Amino acid sequence: KQEVTQIPAALSVPEGENLVLNCSFTDSAIYNLQWFRQDPGKGLTSLLLIQSSQREQTSGRLNASLDKSSGRSTLYIAASQPGDSATYLCAVRPDTGNQFYFGTGTSLTVIP
Amino acid sequence: DAGVIQSPRHEVTEMGQEVTLRCKPISGHDYLFWYRQTMMRGLELLIYFNNNVPIDDSGMPEDRFSAKMPNASFSTLKIQPSEPRDSAVYFCASSPTGGMNTEAFFGQGTRLTVV
């Protein structure tokens, strides 16, 4: 069964810093990987999706990379803002079966 | 499209009562997923459907839980009888078929409290 881990579990940074969130998965046979944001008491908002054939995806200040062979993905947030404070979750979709396996999440706090 | 719609947003019920959670997926999506989120276990897949047919229900915790999808635009997750340990946020998600670029879209969740 796919295991997905996110490190660190919590991160606190001053506004303006660049930061990296990590996601690792045990089975490299994936279809795609998706990064989500979750605000307290809210649902999940999709940020970026990387196909298994891709190396990275960018959206605004966010850049996600994927190294499938080593079972790793990173989410890079440039010039962090207080509004970026949320929990960030990664999810992998295996290439057999259609469910999504979620990581444990990283709780990010950006201090003004 | 309004996105994935779940109801109710909050539910407080007494132990032993039946609880029914509802989900309307995005039109045209043929995959529907039910997840449960707790502090201890994070997001866990309970069951998912493809074209209204249950494909994998191995995550359903026990016989007290059941899920149905009578048509492409509606699904229910029922807990009978409910127990305090069922307290969690239940999410519904939907996804289209087709290619590596298919994303999952989540509803706002139903926060269930069983007292």
Side-chain angles (χ1 to χ4, degrees):
Chain A
K1 181 189 168 185
Q2 180 75 264
E3 300 284 341
V4 183
T5 305
Q6 291 185 245
I7 294 173
L11 181 64
S12 185
V13 300
E15 181 177 1
E17 265 199 18
N18 303 324
L19 59 100
V20 175
L21 307 180
N22 298 292
C23 172
S24 61
F25 46 95
T26 54
D27 187 345
S28 62
I30 66 169
Y31 204 50
N32 60 37
L33 183 146
Q34 200 167 349
W35 281 93
F36 292 88
R37 169 187 172 134
Q38 186 176 27
D39 292 285
K42 304 290 187 182
L44 280 69
T45 301
S46 180
L47 297 173
L48 287 164
L49 179 142
I50 310 179
Q51 302 173 22
S52 64
S53 58
Q54 296 177 324
R55 283 283 191 172
E56 64 179 72
Q57 280 285 344
T58 298
S59 176
R61 295 183 293 109
L62 305 180
N63 175 276
S65 68
L66 175 64
D67 183 343
K68 200 173 79 158
S69 60
S70 67
R72 293 183 182 181
S73 176
T74 61
L75 180 67
Y76 174 82
I77 302 177
S80 58
Q81 303 171 358
D84 295 331
S85 298
T87 296
Y88 291 80
L89 295 144
C90 69
V92 298
R93 196 169 195 174
D95 59 11
T96 55
N98 287 282
Q99 67 273 54
F100 295 83
Y101 292 95
F102 277 85
T104 44
T106 294
S107 177
L108 173 66
T109 302
V110 181
I111 304 165
Chain B
D1 201 312
V4 177
I5 299 172
Q6 293 186 245
S7 64
R9 290 293 309 278
H10 302 273
E11 177 81 38
V12 180
T13 190
E14 291 185 348
M15 183 174 65
Q17 296 298 304
E18 177 180 296
V19 175
T20 299
L21 311 181
R22 297 173 176 80
C23 175
K24 181 182 186 324
I26 293 173
S27 177
H29 285 191
D30 36 26
Y31 283 93
L32 183 140
F33 307 85
W34 282 101
Y35 281 88
R36 178 171 68 176
Q37 186 178 40
T38 60
M39 288 292 291
M40 291 295 295
R41 301 170 71 93
L43 272 158
E44 302 173 282
L45 178 70
L46 300 176
I47 185 171
Y48 79 91
F49 296 83
N50 179 218
N51 291 322
N52 313 337
V53 176
I55 303 299
D56 184 351
D57 65 354
S58 59
M60 296 286 262
E62 45 198 277
D63 292 346
R64 297 184 297 105
F65 285 69
S66 62
K68 293 182 179 179
M69 192 164 185
N71 58 62
S73 59
F74 184 65
S75 177
T76 59
L77 178 68
K78 186 178 293 187
I79 308 172
Q80 165 64 18
S82 58
E83 297 182 3
R85 61 192 167 119
D86 301 330
S87 298
V89 181
Y90 291 81
F91 286 103
C92 176
S94 70
S95 170
T97 299
M100 296 181 183
N101 208 29
T102 53
E103 293 181 50
F105 295 85
F106 279 73
Q108 291 297 298
T110 295
R111 182 173 295 276
L112 173 65
T113 303
V114 184
V115 298

